[in-house]
């Protein structure tokens, strides 16, 4: 859920309302801070949306299903290797490799906690590579922008 800048804006608003109720003497300051952060979230969301526009409908391959809301927000499709918190069955593995080939996918995205060995096997089958994107990295705004850039690069994007 948090890997959507749009969901994050809603979350910040809800948190700010809750904190303002709990700390009414600080409500104005909480509201100001929340609005400032929401402006940053909106600005980054708009930037990423404009970058992703030419790639709407494209698919990327991720070991873990963490990036579903991100994909939804920008009109992308996430192909997932892991299901239900478990590694892929041989049948699912073959299916994902076949889908990835049809889509021209050459990158397998993993988190630092994913099964790198399985991802490397898939990448070899695709003639591609494994790249790490971390859904839990510290600086949220910076991380979301870097993830967007990595996914775009996997589509052949040459932007900065």
């Amino acid at each position: 859920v948090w890997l959507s800048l749009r969901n994050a804006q809603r979350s910040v608003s809800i948190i700010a309302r809750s904190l303002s109720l709990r700390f009414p003497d600080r409500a104005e300051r909480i509201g100001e801070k929340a609005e400032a952060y929401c402006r940053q979230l909106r600005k980054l969301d708009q930037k990423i949306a404009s970058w992703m526009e030419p790639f709407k409908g494209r698919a990327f391959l991720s070991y873990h299903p963490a990036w579903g809301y991100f994909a939804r927000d920008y009109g992308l499709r996430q192909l997932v290797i892991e299901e239900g918190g478990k590694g892929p069955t041989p049948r699912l593995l073959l299916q994902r490799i076949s889908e990835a080939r049809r889509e021209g996918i050459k990158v397998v995205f993993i988190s630092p906690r994913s099964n790198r060995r399985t991802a490397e096997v898939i990448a070899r089958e695709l003639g591609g590579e494994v790249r790490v994107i971390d859904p839990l990295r510290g600086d949220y705004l910076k991380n979301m922008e870097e993830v967007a850039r990595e996914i775009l690069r996997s589509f052949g994007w040459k932007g900065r």
Side-chain angles (χ1 to χ4, degrees), residues 10-93:
R10 287 189 285 277
S11 296
V12 167
S13 296
I14 291 167
I15 292 167
R17 277 195 304 275
S18 297
L19 287 172
S20 294
L21 289 172
R22 175 68 177 94
F23 303 102
D25 57 318
R26 299 183 196 155
E28 185 176 334
R29 183 80 170 134
I30 291 167
E32 290 169 358
K33 291 285 193 179
E35 184 48 43
Y37 194 62
C38 282
R39 276 194 301 275
Q40 291 179 316
L41 291 166
R42 279 191 298 276
K43 182 178 176 184
L44 181 56
D45 177 48
Q46 291 166 354
K47 180 195 291 189
I48 293 172
S50 70
W51 290 344
M52 295 290 182
E53 184 64 32
F55 301 99
K56 279 190 173 181
R58 294 282 301 268
F60 63 96
L61 183 60
S62 174
Y63 193 88
H64 188 275
W67 300 98
Y69 286 102
F70 182 91
R72 176 208 65 193
D73 286 352
Y74 303 114
L76 305 175
R77 292 179 298 113
Q78 177 186 221
L79 300 179
V80 179
I81 297 165
E82 180 183 87
E83 280 191 346
K86 298 177 182 173
T89 63
R91 180 179 176 168
L92 178 63
L93 195 55

